[in-house]
Amino acid sequence: MTRWLDDDEQRAWRAFLTASQLVQEELDRQLQRDSGMPHAYYAVLVKLSEAPGRTLRMSELAAEVNASQSRLSHAVKRLEERGWVRRAPCAADRRVSWAVLTDEGFAALAAAAPGHVEAVRQVFLDRLDPERLRHLTALCAALLPAPDALPGTPDTPLPAAPGATPIPTAPTPATPRAAPVPVTPDHP
């Protein structure tokens, strides 16, 4: 038997869909206009910039950006054409390939980040007071397959300080990164 949505559920569902779509579209427009890249490519660059040695297995990167391996492969191909990412084979396992953020890619991310962060603030963060932001974070975490993986879940409350790094913004390229991973035969 179908459990139809009642009026409150329908309003909540439609509000979530509309708000999500509008925020994503505006962020994509801003990045395309100011940096010549879609939001999906920006997300790939951010994830690689946060990884040790700016390197991730393609399969891990696909999971990190919530994309199919096929869609990610297409995005990485486009990023390779721009010189922002390179692929590296794994010497220990030929089935594995690595995505590596190049210095040019890091520079492109560094150039795009200030405008993107400002857009995130205008379109999303500035519209929410700290209490609503914490509630929204908790609600979104409840929808994730592994809500404990998201900083700010009930076990690790978000800091309420005005200068705290908000979710969903990623650290800017100026944020210190993990130490580079040493080059070994199975890791570029």
Side-chain angles (χ1 to χ4, degrees):
M1 175 181 230
T2 301
R3 295 177 9 183
W4 297 106
L5 304 182
D6 65 28
D7 290 344
D8 288 340
E9 292 168 331
Q10 188 71 259
R11 273 191 298 280
W13 175 239
R14 289 183 181 186
F16 170 78
L17 287 178
T18 301
S20 299
Q21 183 177 14
L22 291 174
V23 167
Q24 288 292 336
E25 287 173 356
E26 184 54 36
L27 295 178
D28 197 61
R29 268 194 296 278
Q30 177 276 321
L31 281 165
Q32 288 280 14
R33 180 186 65 238
D34 298 347
S35 303
M37 75 175 88
H39 194 244
Y41 293 7
Y42 182 86
V44 169
L45 297 179
V46 166
K47 292 298 183 181
L48 288 172
S49 77
E50 295 171 338
R54 299 183 192 165
T55 302
L56 282 172
R57 286 177 181 233
M58 289 287 288
S59 58
E60 291 175 73
L61 182 56
E64 287 285 327
V65 297
N66 198 28
S68 68
Q69 291 208 19
S70 172
R71 184 175 295 249
L72 176 69
S73 183
H74 176 77
V76 168
K77 179 181 177 188
R78 296 289 180 239
L79 292 168
E80 283 179 299
E81 290 169 0
R82 295 177 183 201
W84 294 352
V85 173
R86 68 178 173 83
R87 290 181 216 225
C90 176
D93 186 346
R94 288 194 281 184
R95 297 170 298 171
V96 172
S97 66
W98 301 93
V100 181
L101 181 64
T102 65
D103 290 342
E104 294 82 7
F106 191 80
L109 178 61
H116 176 66
V117 170
E118 185 56 35
V120 169
R121 290 197 172 285
Q122 289 176 359
V123 173
F124 181 70
L125 295 172
D126 291 349
R127 298 176 185 201
L128 301 170
D129 62 39
E131 183 179 355
R132 284 185 171 167
L133 184 62
R134 281 190 298 279
H135 287 296
L136 180 60
T137 302
L139 291 170
C140 291
L143 299 175
L144 298 175
D148 58 330
L150 178 69
T153 56
D155 291 341
T156 54
L158 282 175
T165 303
I167 295 172
T169 60
T172 63
T175 302
R177 302 287 177 220
V181 175
V183 177
T184 63
D186 66 332
H187 195 281

